[in-house]
Amino acid sequence: GLGTCRFKKIIRVDTSMKVLLDLRPIMRPSFGGVGVYTRRITDMLIARRRHEYSLFSNAWERTPVLAFGAAEEHLRRLPNKVLNSAFAFLGRPRIEYLCGGADAVYLPNLNFVATGRPLVVTVHDLSFIRYPDFFSPKTRLWHRAIRPAGLLRQAAAIAAVSEHTKSDIVEMFGIAPERIAVVSPGVTPGMAPANVGALADVRRAFGLERPFFLYLGVIEPRKNISGLISAFDKIEADADLVIAGARGWLCDHVFAQAEASKKRGRIRFLGPVPEEQKAALLSAALALVYPSFYEGFGLPLLEAMACGTPVISGLGSSMGEVVADAGLLVDPNDLREIADAMQAVGADETLRAELTRRGLERAKKFSWEKSAEVLEKIFARL
């Protein structure tokens, strides 16, 4: 237990625990915001050494390079479908038994699991419930199969990446707010305004000779890239539109729309951008334009602000919470509003400078160290 016990003297009880961290979200060669969150929060928890950690991963066909250092790594080689089915239908094996035991289990994302230990789960967003049409049938089936309502009611504690996601959990699953802590992402190391040399290098690497607006993220319907292209067609700014990110669900129409655009020569697709080039690419942009319909947090918004890049963001879900007054918030359904914001930022150097100043200050409020500290306190209370 916690607190003190009285014998002949006061004995302080050690609240350090052995916590199993689930690394399955970073098993793919490339991963999005959930993978970044998993990697960075794990790095920080291990570096702070407030608890002892063991790391669970599963890879059937390849050996991932995790390199977390001072923590026990337990790699299993089971087909994911077999492991997930065993967790879901048999309640076995208990995940802690695969890792030599643990006092608590932490899932950095909703996932299949079976455990007899206190469970902590991070929820990034509930867009698969709010907007199921934004997801492929396979992804919708996966989300149903993990039974999120039962998983979260089983959890001893829940972490949400934003106040908005916390509100969604309370509304959709009837879970008491006091069981949910907000544990937001922090600024990724290296995300800062790039120097002149790095800016020149990234422009040369991608052939970016002209001023440009940037979208950074997966190309999928939820991100409203179709609306972004339509808005770009309306503006008069002498600039390009650069779309950087991996292809996602139902993205073919975005490429077709760009090809049919009257400005098709000004629209560039870069594909996935290496992590080491992200800060320079963001720093080189006139603005990050991110008119998404729904986000649990919106990590590219934070990364852009940390790089001093003006932000134009959708105002729904958590995005207004993340950006606050440090960017221009637009209705993602209003193409004229998106276009006006792009036109204003492209034409007004004073406005860009003010948004840069506000963004840099806003980004300071988010850190992985603060987030790790909240999780450590949750583990200690279990």
Side-chain angles (χ1 to χ4, degrees):
L2 305 179
T4 60
C5 302
R6 288 188 178 274
F7 297 102
K8 290 185 178 179
K9 61 180 180 179
I10 299 298
I11 301 173
R12 187 175 66 187
V13 176
D14 185 4
T15 57
S16 176
M17 303 178 69
K18 184 175 182 180
V19 182
L20 186 157
L21 306 180
D22 175 21
L23 300 190
R24 284 176 290 171
I26 60 173
M27 288 296 98
R28 296 178 179 178
S30 61
F31 45 76
V34 173
V36 172
Y37 186 99
T38 301
R39 177 83 217 194
R40 298 305 174 193
I41 200 69
T42 301
D43 278 336
M44 186 57 66
L45 289 169
I46 292 172
R48 286 169 57 84
R49 298 175 180 267
R50 300 302 193 270
H51 298 282
E52 178 186 354
Y53 297 102
S54 62
L55 311 179
F56 171 75
S57 56
N58 186 61
W60 172 237
E61 295 180 336
R62 65 186 187 87
T63 302
V65 179
L66 300 177
F68 280 97
E72 299 176 11
E73 295 187 11
H74 300 270
L75 172 64
R76 300 298 171 185
R77 294 194 170 280
L78 300 168
N80 278 322
K81 290 181 180 178
V82 173
L83 181 63
N84 292 343
S85 296
F87 280 156
F89 300 114
L90 303 178
R92 295 288 188 276
R94 290 185 172 178
I95 195 170
E96 62 271 16
Y97 295 166
L98 299 175
C99 300
D103 299 314
V105 174
Y106 172 55
L107 301 186
N109 190 33
L110 298 169
N111 213 333
F112 293 93
V113 72
T115 181
R117 298 289 182 263
L119 178 66
V120 181
V121 182
T122 288
V123 181
H124 292 266
D125 68 74
L126 296 177
S127 55
F128 57 92
I129 297 176
R130 290 282 190 200
Y131 299 100
D133 290 344
F134 286 157
F135 295 87
S136 69
K138 180 180 178 181
T139 302
R140 293 199 296 268
L141 178 62
W142 188 88
H143 279 116
R144 283 199 299 271
I146 61 174
R147 294 176 285 197
L151 181 65
L152 295 181
R153 291 183 183 121
Q154 172 193 352
I158 299 166
V161 297
S162 63
E163 290 289 349
H164 180 270
T165 295
K166 177 178 177 176
S167 297
D168 271 358
I169 296 168
V170 172
E171 176 188 341
M172 294 182 186
F173 300 129
I175 291 173
E178 56 269 21
R179 291 185 55 209
I180 309 169
V182 175
V183 185
S184 299
V187 175
T188 303
M191 285 295 165
N195 58 39
V196 174
L199 290 173
D201 288 345
V202 81
R203 284 186 177 277
R204 185 166 49 251
F206 293 111
L208 302 173
E209 299 176 358
R210 302 165 53 79
F212 65 93
F213 295 99
L214 176 66
Y215 165 82
L216 181 62
V218 177
I219 301 173
E220 60 184 7
R222 178 163 61 100
K223 305 298 185 178
N224 194 26
I225 302 167
S226 179
L228 171 58
I229 293 172
S230 296
F232 179 66
D233 279 344
K234 297 178 181 295
I235 68 173
E236 298 176 0
D238 186 22
D240 293 347
L241 174 61
V242 173
I243 299 171
R247 298 173 70 104
W249 161 248
L250 287 180
C251 67
D252 288 347
H253 76 284
V254 171
F255 294 91
Q257 181 184 359
E259 184 60 31
S261 166
K262 63 183 181 181
K263 294 184 177 180
R264 58 182 175 274
R266 296 283 188 87
I267 302 174
R268 298 276 311 281
F269 290 90
L270 302 187
V273 175
E275 283 296 315
E276 61 271 18
Q277 292 181 309
K278 270 188 180 181
L281 182 64
L282 283 163
S283 299
L286 289 170
L288 176 77
V289 190
Y290 202 78
S292 178
F293 291 113
Y294 182 100
E295 296 291 325
F297 184 85
L299 189 58
L301 298 170
L302 178 57
E303 292 175 335
M305 291 189 293
C307 291
T309 305
V311 164
I312 299 170
S313 167
L315 54 75
S317 60
S318 67
M319 291 173 286
E321 176 187 337
V322 174
V323 176
D325 66 349
L328 301 183
L329 301 176
V330 296
D331 181 349
N333 294 294
D334 190 332
L335 301 181
R336 185 73 260 169
E337 195 169 319
I338 300 170
D340 287 347
M342 295 173 71
Q343 184 73 38
V345 172
D348 192 337
E349 188 173 345
T350 301
L351 174 60
R352 291 200 302 273
E354 177 62 15
L355 293 176
T356 292
R357 184 190 67 79
R358 292 185 185 184
L360 288 169
E361 286 301 310
R362 180 67 180 165
K364 292 177 183 178
K365 297 182 180 296
F366 299 88
S367 81
W368 291 112
E369 188 163 9
K370 290 178 183 176
S371 298
E373 184 178 359
V374 176
L375 275 177
E376 289 163 353
K377 291 178 178 177
I378 292 172
F379 298 152
R381 284 201 307 267
L382 295 180

